Amino acid sequence: MPNQRLRQIIREAMPELTALRHDLHAHPELAYQERRTAGVVVRELTRLGIRHRAGLAGGTGVVAHLPATVPGADGRGAIALRADMDALPIVERTGAAYASTTPGVMHACGHDGHTANLLGVARVLSTLSERPNSVTLVFQPAEEGGAGGRRLCEEGVLEGDDASRGGGEGGGAGLGEPVRVIYGLHGWPQLPLGVVGSRVGPLLAATDGFTVTVKGTQAHAAYPHLARDPIVAAAQVVGALQTITSRSVGPLESVVVTVATIAGGTARNIIPESVRLGGTVRTLTPGMRVLAKERLFAIAEHTARAMGCEARIEWEEGYPVTENEKGATGRFFETARRALGDARVCKVDEPTMGGEDFSYYGHHVPACFFMLGLCPPERMPDRGGAGYPSLHQPEFDFVDAAMETGIEVMCGLALERD
């Protein structure tokens, strides 16, 4: 389909999609609680006449499927497009007329925009008489720490169903043909509005978490010699953990070790028995992930022991590295440049140390995750602007106009002929 015709269809749909996005923004839901959001998705898919399956991944995941309509296209596998749906426990400060109506919860990561964007893709593709590929649409719950992507993969959302191969409904979560490649996007405040970007290889980091409980001996604060002070030991542990980045790995390696919480003590005149530290470790390669964990355990345990205390460590394995497969990413760049022109497509030079559970899909099929620019031109720092609020900030809001670009690129990926 010529780009101008596709753009016309998208622009005609934008008022309704914008209203839909605002409605989702006003009614945010936390991980695995996205019942209303899933209901909106099901309502829209039903209205469009798109076959779908709901109630996945604990009850709020939705998968939909559009079959190919071009003769001979069956049997090659589906192209999957994914959007996440959950919000964050943050008090909103956007001042928008459609601000969150749920106290303490807001769409501070733009998943309302991702969901509306994919519904826009569904709307456009459902109107086309010629679809050279079958397309699977994945509306995923619980990206924010709940690993909804892993759960959908385990339930078979990428595996299709028996109906596509002449049998009855499959027992798993999938619909239609098995998925052969998957794409996802994320609104990105650091990129200009209307621009998309990605890279081959690591794009986002592995996101492991830790809790260190430093246990000592409680005593009166006036008699510290009678205590084994966990506060002093914990302070030493915090400082020593920074040597993982500065002394345990090469200067060109990307590793983040952040202690983000400290809790301990009940009164100013009591040295407590224990102190708890919590934080995150971010890495970009499997080897570095193993090394960082080993060094964290050794440093915390031995530093606490040197101070007469004991360190007990709880390690929470987080999301894997989001790794973009070469072929899928090459197809993304070709499609995006054809649709938008070279000036609106960029190569992301360095990975970001944020994380994404889109990574799990890439363990099963070739995958490419890309960034969708959100920053209006007048707010770009290189043009004298102050930048745009970042992800997970209370002032952040997905930019409606970005959906025109996101829908066009995703439709292009779905319609690309091999």
Side-chain angles (χ1 to χ4, degrees), residues 212-216 228-230 232-234 236-237 297-313:
V212 179
T213 301
V214 181
K215 189 175 183 300
R228 295 195 174 187
D229 193 336
V232 174
Q236 296 290 331
V237 169
F297 271 72
I299 289 171
E301 290 171 350
H302 290 290
T303 301
R305 190 176 304 155
M307 305 298 294
C309 296
E310 177 189 3
R312 299 173 181 172
I313 304 167

Side-chain angles (χ1 to χ4, degrees), residues 60-411:
T60 54
V62 182
V63 62
H65 189 78
L66 289 148
T69 60
V70 174
D74 292 336
R76 296 186 302 148
I79 294 174
L81 306 171
R82 173 267 202 175
D84 39 12
M85 301 187 293
D86 55 324
L88 286 158
I90 295 175
V91 177
E92 182 163 354
R93 294 205 301 258
T94 63
Y98 48 85
S100 171
T101 58
T102 306
V105 181
M106 73 167 289
H107 271 295
C109 205
H111 297 183
D112 52 333
H114 303 169
T115 302
N117 186 91
L118 193 56
L119 286 171
V121 172
R123 177 169 176 163
V124 173
L125 294 180
S126 69
T127 67
L128 304 182
S129 58
E130 288 193 14
R131 290 190 297 268
N133 305 293
S134 59
V135 182
T136 296
L137 307 174
V138 180
F139 295 88
Q140 180 208 301
E143 190 281 324
E144 298 291 353
R150 179 177 62 191
R151 195 162 179 176
L152 284 176
C153 288
E154 291 171 348
E155 292 181 7
V157 76
L158 303 178
E159 297 172 10
D161 65 5
D162 292 337
S164 69
R165 296 180 288 277
E169 286 284 324
L175 286 177
E177 291 191 275
V179 169
R180 74 174 191 261
V181 63
I182 188 167
Y183 298 93
L185 61 73
H186 204 299
W188 210 251
Q190 287 75 38
L191 281 183
L193 184 65
V195 171
V196 295
S198 192
R199 71 191 305 273
V200 175
L203 182 66
L204 294 106
T207 61
D208 299 316
F210 63 88
T211 301
V212 179
T213 301
V214 181
K215 189 175 183 300
T217 302
Q218 185 168 312
H220 196 295
Y223 312 115
H225 58 291
L226 301 179
R228 295 195 174 187
D229 193 336
I231 290 180
V232 174
Q236 296 290 331
V237 169
V238 172
L241 289 178
Q242 306 314 305
T243 65
I244 296 174
T245 299
S246 66
R247 291 295 180 270
S248 295
V249 304
L252 300 181
E253 296 280 0
S254 296
V255 178
V256 171
V257 180
T258 295
V259 177
T261 65
I262 301 178
T266 57
R268 290 182 295 177
N269 62 346
I270 302 171
I271 294 173
E273 183 180 37
S274 64
V275 172
R276 287 170 64 88
L277 311 173
T280 186
V281 176
R282 305 296 174 102
T283 51
L284 292 173
T285 65
M288 195 56 59
R289 193 178 190 186
V290 171
L291 174 64
K293 179 181 178 180
E294 290 176 349
R295 295 300 298 138
L296 184 138
F297 271 72
I299 289 171
E301 290 171 350
H302 290 290
T303 301
R305 190 176 304 155
M307 305 298 294
C309 296
E310 177 189 3
R312 299 173 181 172
I313 304 167
E314 301 168 45
W315 183 265
E316 181 181 344
E317 187 171 291
Y319 299 160
V321 173
T322 302
E323 185 97 11
N324 280 343
E325 192 266 339
K326 182 177 179 180
T329 308
R331 183 179 180 186
F332 157 75
F333 277 114
E334 291 173 5
T335 301
R337 286 173 179 141
R338 189 176 298 117
L340 307 177
D342 290 346
R344 292 173 59 192
V345 181
C346 71
K347 178 181 178 294
V348 176
D349 292 326
E350 302 291 341
T352 171
M353 301 309 282
E356 246 287 346
D357 80 343
F358 183 82
S359 54
Y360 290 109
Y361 300 104
H363 290 190
H364 300 270
V365 297
C368 174
F369 198 62
F370 65 94
M371 297 167 174
L372 175 67
L374 297 181
C375 190
E378 68 276 8
R379 300 192 66 168
M380 288 296 295
D382 62 355
R383 300 190 184 184
Y388 196 76
S390 190
L391 305 175
H392 292 211
Q393 289 185 336
E395 297 82 11
F396 173 82
D397 187 17
F398 189 92
V399 178
D400 295 315
M403 287 192 288
E404 290 193 40
T405 301
I407 294 169
E408 183 172 358
V409 172
M410 279 195 156
C411 285

Side-chain angles (χ1 to χ4, degrees), residues 27 34 45 221 262:
H27 300 91
E34 309 94 334
L45 293 172
I262 301 178

